[in-house]
Amino acid sequence: MGLNDEVDNEFGNPDGQKPAVLDTPPRGREASNDVPDETIFTKGIQARRLPELDAEFVIQKSREDRLVELADKSAEIEESGGISRADVIAVESIIEDLEGNETEAPPEPKQPPEEGEESTPPVRRQPMGNPNLYTEEKSKTEYKPALTLMRSNYEKAYTDLKATVLELGNKLLEVADQEIQEKRLAYTDIAIQFNKNIIRFLNEYESDDLEHVKCSFSRQLKWSDLMSVGLYLLRPHLIDYEEGRKRAEVMRGEFEGTKTGEFIENLSKVFRSDSLNSTIHTLVFGDIHRVTGGPKAYEIDPATGEPKVWKYDNSSCIGNEGQYSNSSTIGGIFGFIGTGRLSVAIQSRIAAYDYCKQVIRDSIEKANSLETQKDNSTLKDNLDALLECSGKINEAKFIMTALLADIGAVFTVYEVINNYMLDMCE
C-alpha cells in the first residue's frame, strides 16, 4: 500500500483526475444529500490534540541534549586517561538531570520529629561513588572503576531515552490518527455543504461562476466592485501610507449598512491574523502545495505527499506583510473556490499528513531495533541513530500541526464566505 493510497481512495487522485468536489456545477442541478443547511464549517478543523504534546517533546529534547553531554564528557575523560573530582561532579550533574533530579528519600513518610530529635535529610545519590575517593587533579585514582560506573549510567540513560522515544512516538501516532479521523469526516461534510450553497447562490443570481455574479448593490456599486477589493484593504491597521488608509475607509463606507458590508467586516476580522493572512496569500495566490506554518516552509510533492523543506526566494515574498500581489483580491478568493483548487489543497495536505504518519511508524520501528552495544565504538553510532529517529518524529509532529493549521485557516475564510452566500440568498 502506498503512502497516498488511503487519500486517493477517499478523495480521488488530484493528478489523475480533475478536481470535482468544489467545481461549480451546471445551474439548476439539484443537490442530492442530507447535510443540514446550517453551517458546519467550525466542526473539527482545529488541531486540538497535537499541540498538547508540545511539553512532552520539549522534555524529550532536553533529555537528548543531556545524554549527548554525558557521552561527550565520558569520551573526554576516557581520552584524557585520568579523572578528577571536578569531572565526577560534572558527570553526576548530568546524570541527575537525566533522572529528573531525583533524591533518595526515606522509604516511608515519617511523623514530624519530636522536640529534641533531629530529622534525617534525604540521602543524595552518588552515581559515581564517593567523591572523596577522587583526586583534585586528573589522575589514575579510581579511573577504571569510574569508567565502569559511567558506562553503566550511560547505558541506563540510553535505555530510558529509547523507551521514551518509543512511547512518545506511539502516543503521537495514536493522537494523530484520532485527529485526522475527525478531520476526514468534517472535510466531507464541508465539501458537501459548500457545494450546495454555491449551487443555491448561483441559481439565485442566475450566474455561471462566482467571479461574475449578476448582482448590483446599488446604482453605482456592482459585484465587480466587491471582487476588485484588495485584501490589503482588509488590514488597514498595517497600511503605512495615507492614500491606502483613505481607500480602505472609502471602501468600507461604500458597503456600510449592507449584507456585503457585514461580509467585508467579518472577512477583515479573519485577516487580522498574520499567520492566516500569510497562509491564504501563499495558498490562494501562490503555491498550492506550500506549507508555511512556523519557522520552516515545506513544499508537498504532489506525487508522493512528501513534505520537503522549501528554501525561500527573496525575489518573491507572497504573504509578506509589506508586499501585496496585484491579484490578491476578494475576487481572487472567489475564483479559487470556483476552480476546485480548494479540494486539491486539502488532498495535498491529507497526503502529506499520511506521509508524516508513515515516517513516525518507520522511525519507531528503527528505534526499536537499536541495541545498547558493549563495544565503545558503536555507542555514539547508536545514540546518533536514536537521536535521528527522535528528530524525525518531532519534525513529523511539527509538519502535521502546520498542515492542520493551514486547512483550518482556509476553512475559517470560507466559513465567512459560506455565511455570506447564505445571507445573500435570503
Side-chain angles (χ1 to χ4, degrees), residues 253-300:
E254 290 177 336
F255 290 99
E256 188 175 5
T258 67
K259 293 178 180 179
T260 302
E262 291 181 17
F263 164 66
I264 290 174
E265 287 302 316
N266 290 332
L267 206 56
S268 180
K269 290 176 183 177
V270 168
F271 274 92
R272 288 186 68 89
S273 166
D274 292 340
S275 61
L276 186 145
N277 176 68
S278 177
T279 295
I280 296 302
H281 274 79
T282 299
L283 188 62
V284 178
F285 306 106
D287 188 344
I288 197 171
H289 297 295
R290 188 177 304 156
V291 182
T292 58
K296 286 185 180 180
Y298 293 85
E299 193 83 15
I300 302 172

Side-chain angles (χ1 to χ4, degrees), residues 13-30:
N13 187 342
D15 291 329
Q17 298 180 15
K18 179 181 177 181
V21 175
L22 293 181
D23 278 350
T24 303
R27 186 159 50 90
R29 180 185 299 172
E30 293 295 329

Side-chain angles (χ1 to χ4, degrees), residues 404-422:
L404 294 176
D406 257 23
I407 300 173
V410 171
F411 280 106
T412 296
V413 172
Y414 290 118
E415 178 180 11
V416 176
I417 296 176
N418 181 66
N419 289 337
Y420 175 58
M421 289 192 299
L422 290 174

Side-chain angles (χ1 to χ4, degrees), residues 2-4 57 165-166 168-170 172-173 176-177 298 304-308 351-368 385-400 403:
L3 288 172
N4 283 341
F57 274 91
V165 168
L166 295 174
L168 193 53
N170 282 307
L172 173 59
L173 199 56
D177 285 340
Y298 293 85
T304 65
E306 179 183 1
K308 302 176 182 179
Y353 194 95
D354 287 342
Y355 189 98
C356 289
K357 285 166 55 181
Q358 188 60 48
V359 168
I360 297 171
R361 294 188 191 99
D362 292 343
S363 298
I364 290 173
E365 183 178 354
K366 182 177 180 180
N368 195 41
L386 181 62
L387 296 180
E388 182 182 4
C389 293
S390 179
K392 287 183 177 180
I393 292 172
N394 194 5
E395 184 177 26
K397 174 195 171 295
F398 166 80
I399 296 174
M400 289 190 295
L403 291 167

Side-chain angles (χ1 to χ4, degrees), residues 22 45 75 81 105 123-124 127 131 169 184 196 258 293 302 360 393 411 423:
L22 293 181
I45 60 173
V123 179
R124 189 176 187 82
R184 289 184 192 279
K196 282 180 60 179
T258 67
I360 297 171
I393 292 172
F411 280 106
D423 287 343

Side-chain angles (χ1 to χ4, degrees), residues 94-268:
I94 298 173
I95 293 173
E96 288 176 3
D97 284 348
L98 284 166
E99 296 180 348
N101 296 315
E102 295 176 347
T103 56
E104 291 184 3
E108 295 181 2
K110 294 184 177 180
Q111 296 296 326
E114 296 181 2
E115 188 174 349
E117 293 183 358
E118 295 183 0
S119 60
T120 303
V123 179
R124 189 176 187 82
R125 288 197 60 223
Q126 295 179 341
M128 296 295 292
N130 188 348
N132 294 327
L133 296 178
Y134 299 91
T135 58
E136 290 295 333
E137 301 297 328
K138 282 184 180 292
S139 71
K140 292 289 187 179
T141 303
E142 294 296 310
Y143 173 65
K144 287 187 176 180
L147 291 182
T148 301
L149 288 171
M150 282 191 298
R151 177 59 183 263
S152 175
N153 280 283
Y154 174 86
E155 288 180 356
K156 180 181 183 303
Y158 174 89
T159 301
D160 291 344
L161 178 63
K162 176 182 171 182
T164 57
V165 168
L166 295 174
E167 179 182 1
L168 193 53
N170 282 307
K171 185 175 182 179
L172 173 59
L173 199 56
E174 179 182 357
V175 170
D177 285 340
Q178 294 171 354
E179 193 81 45
I180 201 61
Q181 181 60 27
E182 288 185 3
K183 304 301 179 290
R184 289 184 192 279
L185 296 175
Y187 300 152
T188 302
D189 288 347
I190 288 169
I192 295 173
Q193 176 66 28
F194 203 83
N195 207 35
K196 282 180 60 179
N197 291 336
I198 290 176
I199 297 170
R200 180 180 175 186
F201 180 75
L202 294 179
N203 284 343
E204 180 75 18
Y205 292 96
E206 299 182 344
S207 297
D208 294 323
D209 61 76
L210 293 174
E211 287 186 275
H212 304 96
V213 173
K214 300 176 177 64
C215 171
S216 296
F217 306 110
S218 66
R219 181 173 298 179
Q220 293 81 23
L221 208 56
K222 302 182 182 302
W223 181 261
S224 59
D225 297 312
L226 173 62
M227 294 295 98
S228 65
V229 171
L231 296 184
Y232 77 97
L233 296 177
L234 303 179
R235 294 162 59 85
H237 60 293
L238 292 179
I239 300 176
D240 57 4
Y241 56 98
E242 184 61 31
E243 180 183 352
R245 287 194 293 270
K246 186 173 181 180
R247 286 186 63 187
E249 183 178 347
V250 169
M251 181 272 294
R252 276 176 162 75
E254 290 177 336
F255 290 99
E256 188 175 5
T258 67
K259 293 178 180 179
T260 302
E262 291 181 17
F263 164 66
I264 290 174
E265 287 302 316
N266 290 332
L267 206 56
S268 180

